[in-house]
Amino acid sequence: MKLVHIESLSELRKKSVAWDDLWSRSNSTLPTHRAELVAQWTEHFAADLPFAALAVEDDGQFVAALPLIAERQYGIRIGTPTGNAWSDCGDLLIDTAADVAKIVQLLAEGEKLLRCPLLLFDGVNINADPWRSWSLGRETHGGFVAKPKFRVGVVDLTHDWEAYVAAWSGNHRRSLKKQRKAIAKAGEIELVALSDMQPNEVESFLRQAFEVEDRSWKGRAGTSVLRTPGAFDFFLRQAQQLSAWRQFELYFLTLDERAIAFDFCYSCKGVLSTHKI
């Protein structure tokens, strides 16, 4: 095994085949962790900040990768993953079939190349791989501290839908039934699924979706995508790339053929991830 220090986005793109091959073998179910979308996020949100990535190569293929940007916080230089509240575009990728202990050792040694006295990973699930492997390995190398920030509720849908509905409270079931009747009286309701768009077809549908958001409270608050400079361009570029990979799905709920709700989704590895609804 050997450590690979990636020091620019151009170098990241040159190694995108190896990076994406690792992503396909990792536990990540988000296509936004692929090399090109890591690069796109960095160009949009952190163009003025130093970018670097640590990777571990074994027998000609990547078995670990971690993309970071360097910024100043608390008066010191801190390394943080690519990604933010707009889009999760960076994570620790590890091939768990490889020698994880050796991987973590090499990554720990590679941190010296980053010239960041502190790495800050905000909001990661420390109990799930690969972060569990990272934290266990760092106990050996020292200098690791984890602090709970929030809990994330999980709804169990591994059984059949009828059993899930039966677990609802009576009040919730009655409320949904009442709402469904009310919306049925308003007009014809239809769910429209767009799961096989070409990149050149994305823009008009995506704009239609974010116009729905803009008509909501977010538009009135000035925080919608269409009222945030550059945000639509970012999502358009991302969605076009995802469409080229066949990993983007867009859903509309229409009332008399007028869109009243939408769901912006990532789709890969048998998992549909709702990003913006």
Side-chain angles (χ1 to χ4, degrees), residues 32 36 80 115 138 140 146 174-175 187 227 229 232 235 268 277:
T32 53
E36 177 58 30
T80 62
R115 303 192 309 277
R138 291 313 299 260
T140 302
R174 284 189 293 272
S175 175
R227 294 175 192 265
F232 180 79
F235 281 113
C268 67
I277 187 167

Side-chain angles (χ1 to χ4, degrees), residues 181-199:
K181 285 183 177 180
I183 200 168
K185 290 180 180 179
E188 183 178 352
I189 291 292
E190 184 180 8
L191 179 67
V192 179
L194 303 172
S195 58
D196 196 26
M197 287 180 286
Q198 297 296 317

Side-chain angles (χ1 to χ4, degrees), residues 44-63:
H44 188 89
F45 291 103
D48 297 331
L49 297 176
F51 169 85
L54 297 176
V56 176
E57 185 179 297
D58 185 25
D59 196 23
Q61 64 178 189
F62 281 1
V63 291

Side-chain angles (χ1 to χ4, degrees), residues 18-70:
W19 187 288
D20 288 357
D21 177 62
L22 165 63
W23 169 83
S24 70
R25 288 179 280 110
S26 75
N27 290 330
S28 170
T29 58
L30 289 177
T32 53
H33 295 158
R34 296 179 64 173
E36 177 58 30
L37 294 190
V38 171
Q40 287 186 13
W41 182 93
T42 305
E43 287 171 339
H44 188 89
F45 291 103
D48 297 331
L49 297 176
F51 169 85
L54 297 176
V56 176
E57 185 179 297
D58 185 25
D59 196 23
Q61 64 178 189
F62 281 1
V63 291
L66 177 63
L68 298 163
I69 55 171

Side-chain angles (χ1 to χ4, degrees), residues 16 19 23 37 98 102 133 142 156 167 170 180 190 194 197 208 215 247:
S16 63
W19 187 288
W23 169 83
L37 294 190
K102 180 63 174 177
S133 301
D156 180 10
R180 182 170 295 204
E190 184 180 8
L194 303 172
M197 287 180 286
Q208 183 181 358
R215 295 196 297 269
Q247 293 177 341

Side-chain angles (χ1 to χ4, degrees), residues 104 107-108 111 119 133-144:
V104 174
L107 291 175
E111 290 173 19
L119 299 183
S133 301
W134 171 277
S135 61
L136 291 175
R138 291 313 299 260
E139 289 177 0
T140 302
H141 299 287
F144 178 83

